[in-house]
Amino acid sequence: MSQVEVTVRGRYSAFQPPERGTVHLTVALEGPKEPAVHGGVAEAVGAVTERVRPLHDPGAGPVTWWASDQLRTWARRPWNSEGKQLPLVFHASADVRVKFADFSVLSRWLAEVLQVRGVRVNRIEWALTEARKTELTHRVRAQAVAEARQKAQAYADALGLGAVTAVAVADAGMLGRGLEPSNGAPPVAFARAGAASGGAAEVAFAPEDVEVSAAVDARFLAG
């Protein structure tokens, strides 16, 4: 019997509790006087960053990294319900991002900064350390290859072809036309999400496990 080619896709996902949480917040104000709006945002950003600096230690944390973007200002002239153009309204905003290694400190810090006028939390990005992410990526890729081999062997067994031999393996979509992932997903994907809600005295948030997934295409010969 001539050899039969079996081409399959293997996938694998692993989940890991997050090791870092990056708070993305915006300081924004608006009003009729540009100096007051600009100065209010600058003062609020200063109040936020003053609460970051004592916590910042790149190695030990609890804050391992932070950044503050340049303050932005603009103006617009709104319209009322009767179609009349109203006086200029001035706007100013700045974004601040702070990465925490200690989530209890993150919660207490959020409770403090949300008391600062103009501060709002956009999201919390949950992530792994680079070392852990690399380790997990290697594992899911290996498991994806193993899953592809098991799938190919199942096909070969159904046809009575005996053991399969791998002849090619590649990231999903790289073995030829017609094999591209329908959703355009990358060979290795990282998913993380989070939400936060502010209260007068505390902030509740729900860290979600980080998903690391891999997909590979593999070609085997059997028979």
Side-chain angles (χ1 to χ4, degrees):
M1 180 184 295
S2 61
Q3 288 186 313
V4 173
E5 184 178 281
V6 182
T7 303
V8 295
R9 177 162 296 173
R11 302 179 186 274
Y12 191 81
S13 296
F15 296 84
Q16 173 76 18
E19 298 169 311
R20 297 290 185 269
T22 302
V23 179
H24 295 252
L25 60 82
T26 298
V27 182
L29 294 172
E30 63 179 52
K33 303 294 183 179
E34 182 179 10
V37 172
H38 185 282
V41 170
E43 182 179 349
V45 170
V48 170
T49 57
E50 283 176 6
R51 290 169 168 83
V52 173
R53 290 189 176 92
L55 305 174
H56 182 218
D57 185 321
V63 170
T64 60
W65 172 88
W66 70 280
S68 176
D69 292 342
Q70 187 174 1
L71 193 151
R72 305 175 297 276
T73 59
W74 69 98
R76 66 182 182 88
R77 193 181 295 274
W79 300 79
N80 66 12
S81 59
E82 299 176 351
K84 180 180 179 181
Q85 197 167 28
L86 302 176
L88 277 172
V89 176
F90 295 92
H91 300 258
S93 70
D95 296 325
V96 180
R97 301 177 302 284
V98 186
K99 183 181 291 187
F100 287 84
D102 186 322
F103 299 158
S104 62
V105 176
L106 185 160
S107 180
R108 294 194 296 271
W109 181 83
L110 272 183
E112 291 182 11
V113 299
L114 284 174
Q115 306 306 310
V116 178
R117 179 170 174 260
V119 172
R120 72 171 186 269
V121 176
N122 299 321
R123 63 191 172 97
I124 301 177
E125 180 183 4
W126 306 107
L128 304 174
T129 62
E130 287 301 316
R132 182 59 176 149
K133 185 168 67 175
T134 299
E135 175 190 345
L136 208 55
T137 298
H138 290 167
R139 180 157 69 87
V140 298
R141 282 175 171 157
Q143 291 291 342
V145 171
E147 200 267 351
R149 185 180 189 87
Q150 293 169 4
K151 186 185 292 186
Q153 188 61 61
Y155 288 139
D157 291 345
L159 296 172
L161 297 175
V164 296
T165 300
V167 294
V169 63
D171 288 339
M174 295 185 64
L175 280 185
R177 289 186 176 180
L179 297 178
E180 289 79 4
S182 59
N183 61 0
V188 179
F190 301 89
R192 59 269 184 194
S197 58
E202 63 181 34
V203 175
F205 57 84
E208 295 186 3
D209 284 355
V210 178
E211 178 186 5
V212 181
S213 59
V216 300
D217 289 337
R219 186 171 291 129
F220 298 83
L221 293 179

mmCIF file of all heavy atoms in Angstrom, residues 159-191:
data_model
loop_
_atom_site.group_PDB
_atom_site.id
_atom_site.type_symbol
_atom_site.label_atom_id
_atom_site.label_comp_id
_atom_site.label_asym_id
_atom_site.label_seq_id
_atom_site.Cartn_x
_atom_site.Cartn_y
_atom_site.Cartn_z
ATOM 1 N N LEU A 159 -7.980 4.212 9.226
ATOM 2 C CA LEU A 159 -7.752 3.673 7.882
ATOM 3 C C LEU A 159 -6.878 2.422 7.899
ATOM 4 O O LEU A 159 -6.582 1.863 6.828
ATOM 5 C CB LEU A 159 -7.081 4.744 7.010
ATOM 6 C CG LEU A 159 -7.914 6.011 6.749
ATOM 7 C CD1 LEU A 159 -7.065 7.060 6.050
ATOM 8 C CD2 LEU A 159 -9.135 5.682 5.903
ATOM 9 N N GLY A 160 -6.457 1.980 9.079
ATOM 10 C CA GLY A 160 -5.604 0.805 9.188
ATOM 11 C C GLY A 160 -4.249 0.990 8.574
ATOM 12 O O GLY A 160 -3.693 0.063 7.975
ATOM 13 N N LEU A 161 -3.667 2.168 8.764
ATOM 14 C CA LEU A 161 -2.397 2.487 8.110
ATOM 15 C C LEU A 161 -1.183 2.345 9.013
ATOM 16 O O LEU A 161 -0.064 2.542 8.566
ATOM 17 C CB LEU A 161 -2.449 3.921 7.568
ATOM 18 C CG LEU A 161 -3.504 4.196 6.490
ATOM 19 C CD1 LEU A 161 -3.527 5.670 6.135
ATOM 20 C CD2 LEU A 161 -3.234 3.348 5.243
ATOM 21 N N GLY A 162 -1.360 2.069 10.282
ATOM 22 C CA GLY A 162 -0.221 1.924 11.181
ATOM 23 C C GLY A 162 0.277 3.259 11.707
ATOM 24 O O GLY A 162 -0.418 4.275 11.670
ATOM 25 N N ALA A 163 1.527 3.249 12.188
ATOM 26 C CA ALA A 163 2.096 4.439 12.836
ATOM 27 C C ALA A 163 2.349 5.553 11.825
ATOM 28 O O ALA A 163 2.688 5.297 10.662
ATOM 29 C CB ALA A 163 3.395 4.074 13.544
ATOM 30 N N VAL A 164 2.207 6.786 12.298
ATOM 31 C CA VAL A 164 2.453 7.941 11.438
ATOM 32 C C VAL A 164 3.867 8.455 11.679
ATOM 33 O O VAL A 164 4.446 8.275 12.752
ATOM 34 C CB VAL A 164 1.446 9.080 11.710
ATOM 35 C CG1 VAL A 164 0.035 8.631 11.368
ATOM 36 C CG2 VAL A 164 1.521 9.561 13.151
ATOM 37 N N THR A 165 4.414 9.110 10.655
ATOM 38 C CA THR A 165 5.738 9.726 10.737
ATOM 39 C C THR A 165 5.614 11.188 10.340
ATOM 40 O O THR A 165 5.090 11.504 9.264
ATOM 41 C CB THR A 165 6.728 9.027 9.797
ATOM 42 O OG1 THR A 165 6.833 7.645 10.155
ATOM 43 C CG2 THR A 165 8.105 9.676 9.899
ATOM 44 N N ALA A 166 6.081 12.077 11.194
ATOM 45 C CA ALA A 166 5.988 13.507 10.899
ATOM 46 C C ALA A 166 6.966 13.886 9.807
ATOM 47 O O ALA A 166 8.127 13.465 9.810
ATOM 48 C CB ALA A 166 6.272 14.317 12.158
ATOM 49 N N VAL A 167 6.507 14.695 8.854
ATOM 50 C CA VAL A 167 7.379 15.179 7.784
ATOM 51 C C VAL A 167 7.424 16.708 7.744
ATOM 52 O O VAL A 167 8.315 17.275 7.116
ATOM 53 C CB VAL A 167 6.931 14.635 6.405
ATOM 54 C CG1 VAL A 167 7.118 13.130 6.343
ATOM 55 C CG2 VAL A 167 5.477 15.013 6.111
ATOM 56 N N ALA A 168 6.489 17.376 8.415
ATOM 57 C CA ALA A 168 6.502 18.844 8.435
ATOM 58 C C ALA A 168 5.638 19.329 9.586
ATOM 59 O O ALA A 168 4.612 18.742 9.909
ATOM 60 C CB ALA A 168 5.978 19.415 7.119
ATOM 61 N N VAL A 169 6.086 20.416 10.201
ATOM 62 C CA VAL A 169 5.300 21.082 11.239
ATOM 63 C C VAL A 169 5.561 22.574 11.132
ATOM 64 O O VAL A 169 6.688 22.998 10.829
ATOM 65 C CB VAL A 169 5.647 20.549 12.644
ATOM 66 C CG1 VAL A 169 7.100 20.845 12.996
ATOM 67 C CG2 VAL A 169 4.713 21.126 13.700
ATOM 68 N N ALA A 170 4.520 23.377 11.326
ATOM 69 C CA ALA A 170 4.657 24.826 11.166
ATOM 70 C C ALA A 170 3.580 25.525 11.975
ATOM 71 O O ALA A 170 2.587 24.907 12.393
ATOM 72 C CB ALA A 170 4.542 25.216 9.695
ATOM 73 N N ASP A 171 3.784 26.818 12.191
ATOM 74 C CA ASP A 171 2.716 27.611 12.779
ATOM 75 C C ASP A 171 1.473 27.512 11.904
ATOM 76 O O ASP A 171 1.571 27.325 10.683
ATOM 77 C CB ASP A 171 3.140 29.081 12.891
ATOM 78 C CG ASP A 171 4.182 29.313 13.970
ATOM 79 O OD1 ASP A 171 4.294 28.463 14.872
ATOM 80 O OD2 ASP A 171 4.886 30.344 13.907
ATOM 81 N N ALA A 172 0.317 27.632 12.536
ATOM 82 C CA ALA A 172 -0.942 27.475 11.812
ATOM 83 C C ALA A 172 -0.996 28.385 10.591
ATOM 84 O O ALA A 172 -0.716 29.571 10.673
ATOM 85 C CB ALA A 172 -2.110 27.778 12.738
ATOM 86 N N GLY A 173 -1.326 27.790 9.435
ATOM 87 C CA GLY A 173 -1.477 28.547 8.201
ATOM 88 C C GLY A 173 -0.240 28.643 7.347
ATOM 89 O O GLY A 173 -0.288 29.276 6.292
ATOM 90 N N MET A 174 0.873 27.992 7.761
ATOM 91 C CA MET A 174 2.126 28.165 7.024
ATOM 92 C C MET A 174 2.529 26.945 6.201
ATOM 93 O O MET A 174 3.593 26.950 5.581
ATOM 94 C CB MET A 174 3.261 28.523 7.993
ATOM 95 C CG MET A 174 3.070 29.868 8.672
ATOM 96 S SD MET A 174 4.477 30.351 9.715
ATOM 97 C CE MET A 174 5.778 30.518 8.488
ATOM 98 N N LEU A 175 1.684 25.919 6.158
ATOM 99 C CA LEU A 175 2.046 24.733 5.374
ATOM 100 C C LEU A 175 1.544 24.788 3.939
ATOM 101 O O LEU A 175 1.938 23.978 3.122
ATOM 102 C CB LEU A 175 1.498 23.466 6.050
ATOM 103 C CG LEU A 175 2.310 22.929 7.232
ATOM 104 C CD1 LEU A 175 1.732 21.614 7.715
ATOM 105 C CD2 LEU A 175 3.772 22.758 6.875
ATOM 106 N N GLY A 176 0.675 25.735 3.637
ATOM 107 C CA GLY A 176 0.190 25.824 2.266
ATOM 108 C C GLY A 176 -1.162 26.473 2.202
ATOM 109 O O GLY A 176 -1.796 26.772 3.206
ATOM 110 N N ARG A 177 -1.622 26.706 0.988
ATOM 111 C CA ARG A 177 -2.910 27.338 0.787
ATOM 112 C C ARG A 177 -4.028 26.447 1.320
ATOM 113 O O ARG A 177 -3.956 25.231 1.262
ATOM 114 C CB ARG A 177 -3.151 27.602 -0.697
ATOM 115 C CG ARG A 177 -2.283 28.711 -1.263
ATOM 116 C CD ARG A 177 -2.671 29.029 -2.690
ATOM 117 N NE ARG A 177 -1.908 30.147 -3.218
ATOM 118 C CZ ARG A 177 -2.065 30.628 -4.444
ATOM 119 N NH1 ARG A 177 -2.955 30.076 -5.257
ATOM 120 N NH2 ARG A 177 -1.335 31.643 -4.840
ATOM 121 N N GLY A 178 -5.070 27.121 1.791
ATOM 122 C CA GLY A 178 -6.213 26.378 2.312
ATOM 123 C C GLY A 178 -6.081 25.990 3.759
ATOM 124 O O GLY A 178 -7.007 25.443 4.344
ATOM 125 N N LEU A 179 -4.917 26.286 4.360
ATOM 126 C CA LEU A 179 -4.700 25.914 5.755
ATOM 127 C C LEU A 179 -4.719 27.126 6.673
ATOM 128 O O LEU A 179 -4.483 26.995 7.864
ATOM 129 C CB LEU A 179 -3.366 25.181 5.905
ATOM 130 C CG LEU A 179 -3.246 23.849 5.166
ATOM 131 C CD1 LEU A 179 -1.855 23.274 5.372
ATOM 132 C CD2 LEU A 179 -4.295 22.861 5.644
ATOM 133 N N GLU A 180 -4.983 28.306 6.121
ATOM 134 C CA GLU A 180 -4.951 29.501 6.941
ATOM 135 C C GLU A 180 -6.078 29.471 7.971
ATOM 136 O O GLU A 180 -7.186 29.029 7.678
ATOM 137 C CB GLU A 180 -5.087 30.764 6.078
ATOM 138 C CG GLU A 180 -3.873 31.066 5.224
ATOM 139 C CD GLU A 180 -3.810 30.217 3.974
ATOM 140 O OE1 GLU A 180 -4.762 29.451 3.737
ATOM 141 O OE2 GLU A 180 -2.809 30.320 3.247
ATOM 142 N N PRO A 181 -5.813 29.926 9.201
ATOM 143 C CA PRO A 181 -6.872 29.986 10.204
ATOM 144 C C PRO A 181 -7.982 30.918 9.745
ATOM 145 O O PRO A 181 -7.726 32.009 9.243
ATOM 146 C CB PRO A 181 -6.181 30.555 11.450
ATOM 147 C CG PRO A 181 -4.717 30.434 11.181
ATOM 148 C CD PRO A 181 -4.541 30.440 9.699
ATOM 149 N N SER A 182 -9.226 30.492 9.884
ATOM 150 C CA SER A 182 -10.351 31.289 9.412
ATOM 151 C C SER A 182 -10.498 32.584 10.202
ATOM 152 O O SER A 182 -11.018 33.569 9.696
ATOM 153 C CB SER A 182 -11.643 30.477 9.509
ATOM 154 O OG SER A 182 -11.869 30.073 10.854
ATOM 155 N N ASN A 183 -10.045 32.601 11.460
ATOM 156 C CA ASN A 183 -10.222 33.799 12.277
ATOM 157 C C ASN A 183 -8.989 34.694 12.278
ATOM 158 O O ASN A 183 -8.973 35.707 12.964
ATOM 159 C CB ASN A 183 -10.576 33.416 13.716
ATOM 160 C CG ASN A 183 -9.495 32.586 14.373
ATOM 161 O OD1 ASN A 183 -8.480 32.290 13.750
ATOM 162 N ND2 ASN A 183 -9.718 32.216 15.622
ATOM 163 N N GLY A 184 -7.935 34.303 11.557
ATOM 164 C CA GLY A 184 -6.738 35.126 11.496
ATOM 165 C C GLY A 184 -5.976 35.206 12.797
ATOM 166 O O GLY A 184 -5.185 36.108 13.013
ATOM 167 N N ALA A 185 -6.188 34.254 13.691
ATOM 168 C CA ALA A 185 -5.527 34.288 14.992
ATOM 169 C C ALA A 185 -4.047 33.983 14.847
ATOM 170 O O ALA A 185 -3.645 33.207 13.976
ATOM 171 C CB ALA A 185 -6.172 33.267 15.929
ATOM 172 N N PRO A 186 -3.185 34.564 15.679
ATOM 173 C CA PRO A 186 -1.754 34.284 15.611
ATOM 174 C C PRO A 186 -1.462 32.872 16.121
ATOM 175 O O PRO A 186 -2.271 32.278 16.830
ATOM 176 C CB PRO A 186 -1.149 35.347 16.541
ATOM 177 C CG PRO A 186 -2.249 35.676 17.490
ATOM 178 C CD PRO A 186 -3.520 35.555 16.700
ATOM 179 N N PRO A 187 -0.289 32.295 15.748
ATOM 180 C CA PRO A 187 0.054 30.948 16.208
ATOM 181 C C PRO A 187 0.068 30.818 17.720
ATOM 182 O O PRO A 187 -0.274 29.784 18.260
ATOM 183 C CB PRO A 187 1.453 30.725 15.623
ATOM 184 C CG PRO A 187 1.561 31.683 14.485
ATOM 185 C CD PRO A 187 0.725 32.858 14.857
ATOM 186 N N VAL A 188 0.524 31.860 18.403
ATOM 187 C CA VAL A 188 0.493 31.872 19.863
ATOM 188 C C VAL A 188 -0.270 33.106 20.302
ATOM 189 O O VAL A 188 0.051 34.212 19.878
ATOM 190 C CB VAL A 188 1.909 31.883 20.466
ATOM 191 C CG1 VAL A 188 1.839 31.921 21.984
ATOM 192 C CG2 VAL A 188 2.693 30.655 20.021
ATOM 193 N N ALA A 189 -1.281 32.918 21.118
ATOM 194 C CA ALA A 189 -2.119 34.036 21.524
ATOM 195 C C ALA A 189 -2.138 34.162 23.035
ATOM 196 O O ALA A 189 -2.083 33.161 23.752
ATOM 197 C CB ALA A 189 -3.546 33.842 20.999
ATOM 198 N N PHE A 190 -2.212 35.400 23.496
ATOM 199 C CA PHE A 190 -2.311 35.674 24.924
ATOM 200 C C PHE A 190 -3.597 36.454 25.149
ATOM 201 O O PHE A 190 -3.812 37.491 24.524
ATOM 202 C CB PHE A 190 -1.111 36.494 25.407
ATOM 203 C CG PHE A 190 0.201 35.813 25.170
ATOM 204 C CD1 PHE A 190 0.887 35.999 23.981
ATOM 205 C CD2 PHE A 190 0.739 34.970 26.128
ATOM 206 C CE1 PHE A 190 2.095 35.367 23.748
ATOM 207 C CE2 PHE A 190 1.948 34.339 25.901
ATOM 208 C CZ PHE A 190 2.631 34.533 24.714
ATOM 209 N N ALA A 191 -4.427 35.966 26.039
ATOM 210 C CA ALA A 191 -5.686 36.650 26.333
ATOM 211 C C ALA A 191 -5.720 37.028 27.796
ATOM 212 O O ALA A 191 -5.393 36.222 28.664
ATOM 213 C CB ALA A 191 -6.869 35.739 26.002
#
